[in-house]
Amino acid sequence: MNIKAAKTSERTGEADLHDRPAAEMRRRGACPALAAPMPTGDGLLVRLRPAGGALTLSQFASLARSAAVHGNGILEITARGNLQIRGLRAETVGQLAADIDAAGITVPDGPVIETSPLHGIDPEEISDAAAMEVALRSTLSDLLASARLAPKLSLVVDGGGSFGLSAVSADIRVVAQSHTDWLVAINGDGETAMPVAIGPAEAAISAVGEILSLLATLGQGRRTRDIDPALLRARFPAMEGIPSNPSRAAGIQLAGTHRLEDGKIILGVRPEFGQMRASDLIALLDLAKALGATAIRLAPGRGFFLIGLPADTVPPMQIAAAGHGFSTQPGENTEHIAACAGAGACGSAFYETRTLARRIIAAAPALFDGSLTLHLSGCAKGCAHARPALTLTGSAEGYGLILNGLAADQPDERIAGGRIDFAIERLARSIEDNKDAGESTAACLTRLGATGVSKALRQE
């Protein structure tokens, strides 16, 4: 695959970020933005998305150093490709904001707008996602700033190409259909979202404005799933004629290498379970910069792309990355595990999620055929994964096993803390013994159901 050479530029930070009150907190469930950090078990958490999801290596290293000084030195990349800094205190949030400003990092106000991670450098990109984001923010600035919008309202601008965002769900999707035309759809991913408008950029922006106005009118905190279909058809009478599944964007294969037009390389990097220590990240970025990398793009899938490595530097870069806890190879079992910070990093967690994850990978390889996600949640809040999954929730009594649900759901089976290794081995054995030829792990667990799994776990 040939990809156009990356272009990097300096960005001017927003001067008012560090002037905002650090103690302003949002309720749980809101997005913990820089201006409103969220209390967690290990202090305050800030989630931010730099403009376009893009950083220079120096900017990313500055963020890591600031996280070490003002937080607990733990950074995370979420499933949607946003950056989290953990362990902050009320008095250090403003200092972090000042460091972000000094590094020239722009963090736009208002809802996060997620863009295709390789916008501008993917030759298969249909249209410029970054330009559309800028146009949306400038044209709809008042609507996007409305306090009546839901705190977790999600917007995606997908320019298409090799690294599109069809797998990422959103309240509002703006998806390139041609160089000039964009599709606007709501409430879903590339396959499930409902199309409401299609046309040139101006028409698409107008449609997004209509949706935002409608949400604000419906009441504070409403999401696109709450819009009455009849009301939607009244606002968008032409929506009936739009194909129901016109998405042309491809999903992202994060880990691995991709070649630029100039012969240099994009290297996909995933921190183990999406979490990294500042010292490891700084060491990796220092090496990448020394080897010639020019830019960073955050990406869905809990990782980022290193842009512009000379081809002959990739093998030593991959070896060094593995030594610092980063994966650069596709198909690793860690891709299929969503693990929260866990005990030792979060005071709310009842077990060390990452330690257990490594034990499960070693003891139960049958789980990891790519058909399901294993969610390891240290408590019932479920911070690491917001969708149904095979879930182990920690509690004071041990673990709750949920076959296909959220961390807060009623467990299908309860496991005492001292029996977790036995339970993992029994679950793996049950899958191996019962899986039919060609059957996936997810399908096997569904067929076994809670009764079958419970019986397997209780056998001595």
Side-chain angles (χ1 to χ4, degrees):
M1 176 190 305
N2 286 324
I3 300 180
K4 290 181 289 188
K7 298 178 182 178
T8 59
S9 63
E10 294 298 321
R11 291 179 168 79
T12 301
E14 296 184 18
D16 67 335
L17 284 176
H18 58 277
D19 296 326
R20 297 174 181 170
E24 181 188 353
M25 307 300 176
R26 287 184 181 171
R27 66 189 182 277
R28 175 157 294 281
C31 288
L34 188 60
M38 177 183 289
T40 67
D42 58 344
L44 301 179
L45 178 141
V46 157
R47 182 182 302 148
L48 57 90
R49 181 176 178 82
L55 294 164
T56 67
L57 276 75
S58 295
Q59 287 173 334
F60 204 8
S62 294
L63 273 176
R65 285 191 290 270
S66 188
V69 172
H70 304 306
N72 60 11
I74 295 176
L75 300 92
E76 296 171 327
I77 302 178
T78 71
R80 302 183 72 93
N82 299 314
L83 187 64
Q84 295 186 161
I85 297 174
R86 304 189 67 95
L88 296 158
R89 303 183 305 280
E91 64 271 20
T92 64
V93 174
Q95 295 165 349
L96 171 71
D99 288 350
I100 290 171
D101 184 39
I105 300 169
T106 299
V107 182
D109 287 329
V112 167
I113 300 178
E114 297 160 38
T115 53
S116 313
L118 295 184
H119 57 78
I121 58 176
D122 182 348
E124 297 179 37
E125 185 179 49
I126 299 168
S127 195
D128 190 340
M132 173 57 82
E133 178 190 359
V134 170
L136 284 167
R137 290 195 182 279
S138 61
T139 307
L140 306 176
S141 56
D142 289 343
L143 281 170
L144 289 169
S146 172
R148 295 181 66 82
L149 296 179
K152 297 194 75 171
L153 185 77
S154 55
L155 295 90
V156 160
V157 177
D158 188 349
S162 302
F163 298 93
L165 299 177
S166 64
V168 179
S169 64
D171 285 283
I172 302 173
R173 304 180 61 80
V174 184
V175 183
Q177 302 298 290
S178 69
H179 181 65
T180 57
D181 285 349
W182 296 81
L183 170 78
V184 179
I186 65 169
N187 190 32
D189 59 21
E191 293 185 0
T192 62
M194 178 186 297
V196 298
I198 191 168
E202 295 80 4
I205 293 168
S206 177
V208 173
E210 281 285 314
I211 296 166
L212 294 174
S213 296
L214 185 56
L215 289 171
T217 300
L218 289 177
Q220 189 166 10
R222 294 296 184 95
R223 307 289 291 273
T224 54
R225 61 176 177 261
D226 301 317
I227 301 175
D228 182 84
L231 183 57
L232 197 65
R233 286 191 293 270
R235 290 287 188 102
F236 299 97
M239 63 180 285
E240 301 292 346
I242 303 173
S244 60
N245 183 24
S247 176
R248 295 165 53 183
I252 291 174
Q253 178 61 59
L254 174 57
T257 59
H258 311 277
R259 189 171 295 274
L260 295 164
E261 277 187 341
D262 61 1
K264 293 185 178 180
I265 299 295
I266 290 174
L267 178 63
V269 178
R270 181 183 287 107
E272 188 179 43
F273 313 119
Q275 187 179 97
M276 52 202 159
R277 296 198 173 276
S279 56
D280 289 318
L281 177 59
I282 292 167
L284 183 76
L285 294 172
D286 285 347
L287 176 60
K289 188 173 183 179
L291 293 178
T294 56
I296 297 289
R297 295 289 182 90
L298 302 175
R302 304 181 189 277
F304 58 90
F305 291 108
L306 278 170
I307 312 295
L309 284 166
D312 61 352
T313 68
V314 171
M317 191 74 234
Q318 290 175 312
I319 293 170
H324 289 292
F326 297 87
S327 170
T328 59
Q329 302 291 344
E332 295 195 6
N333 289 339
T334 55
E335 295 179 14
H336 307 298
I337 299 178
C340 71
C346 177
S348 298
F350 288 94
Y351 69 95
E352 295 183 358
T353 53
R354 285 158 173 75
T355 299
L356 183 59
R358 297 182 191 101
R359 299 205 320 253
I360 292 175
I361 289 171
L367 287 175
F368 303 104
D369 63 353
S371 65
L372 56 74
T373 295
L374 174 62
H375 179 194
L376 301 181
S377 184
C379 72
K381 287 183 285 190
C383 300
H385 194 70
R387 293 184 176 185
L390 176 62
T391 301
L392 270 176
T393 301
S395 70
E397 293 75 35
Y399 302 84
L401 176 65
I402 302 156
L403 293 183
N404 184 31
L406 306 177
D409 290 346
Q410 187 69 21
D412 294 302
E413 182 70 16
R414 296 187 185 277
I415 304 165
R419 290 178 60 85
I420 187 62
D421 288 333
F422 169 82
I424 291 167
E425 292 171 2
R426 291 304 308 166
L427 182 62
R429 179 71 60 82
S430 179
I431 293 170
E432 292 170 356
D433 292 345
N434 288 281
K435 187 187 289 187
D436 293 333
E439 187 177 33
S440 70
T441 295
C444 179
L445 284 173
T446 298
R447 180 168 53 80
L448 288 174
T451 301
V453 170
S454 179
K455 181 179 178 181
L457 295 182
R458 293 173 186 274
Q459 290 178 351
E460 294 293 343

